[in-house]
Amino acid sequence: MQVSIEQLLSGLMSKLETMEASLDDIRLKNNVLLRLIKEMSNKEITLTTIQLAVKEELKITKEAGLIEEDQDTSITEKRITDSIYKWLEGDVSDIKEQVNEYRKKLEEAQRQHSGNIDIAPPNFVDTLGNQNKKGKDGKIIL
């Protein structure tokens, strides 16, 4: 079965868009559930309670083998804790700042990797080989 590059890229983009939509759906559901838990909780959700929950989750993740045993998770723990706390408190300015920072990183990555991809026709190597046989001083590098 032969697949053109356009078909391959189209299929990959379709899968990527589907994954992005699924991720957005999961994020929305997660956010709604956390807000419900916050509203229905008898206890106040504080920075300390969030930190304990994050610490426990990272410990379980390590024990399950999803994080290397010797990996230090203290920085990750603090970042996740702060992010969740600011989100639950409705710190819109921080959320906007994170979104803008993410967009800048994405644009920078796109600028670094932008360029044309040149694709040789199927008979390109044969053509180069034929030119070399005719006595031309070309080199083929594979």
Side-chain angles (χ1 to χ4, degrees), residues 51-61:
Q51 185 176 17
L52 291 173
V54 169
K55 189 178 285 193
E56 182 180 352
E57 180 61 27
L58 290 174
K59 178 184 169 201
I60 291 169
T61 305

Side-chain angles (χ1 to χ4, degrees), residues 47-62 67 73-85:
L47 187 61
T48 305
T49 56
I50 294 170
Q51 185 176 17
L52 291 173
V54 169
K55 189 178 285 193
E56 182 180 352
E57 180 61 27
L58 290 174
K59 178 184 169 201
I60 291 169
T61 305
K62 255 187 190 182
I67 298 177
T73 57
S74 59
I75 295 171
T76 305
E77 178 185 315
K78 177 157 178 40
R79 212 173 41 209
I80 292 171
T81 301
D82 290 344
S83 176
I84 292 172
Y85 183 74

Side-chain angles (χ1 to χ4, degrees), residues 62 66-74 76:
K62 255 187 190 182
L66 300 173
I67 298 177
E68 294 178 19
E69 285 292 325
D70 58 344
Q71 184 177 349
D72 181 25
T73 57
S74 59
T76 305

Side-chain angles (χ1 to χ4, degrees), residues 11-27:
L12 288 173
M13 289 303 295
S14 173
K15 292 285 186 187
L16 183 62
E17 289 170 3
T18 302
M19 286 175 47
E20 187 176 8
S22 296
L23 182 61
D24 287 341
D25 184 51
I26 290 169
R27 183 180 297 125

Side-chain angles (χ1 to χ4, degrees), residues 88-106:
L88 281 174
E89 293 299 311
D91 190 349
V92 176
S93 62
D94 184 63
I95 294 169
K96 283 184 179 180
E97 183 180 320
Q98 287 178 0
V99 168
N100 288 334
E101 185 178 316
Y102 174 76
R103 285 182 181 155
K104 286 178 186 176
K105 287 180 182 179
L106 187 62

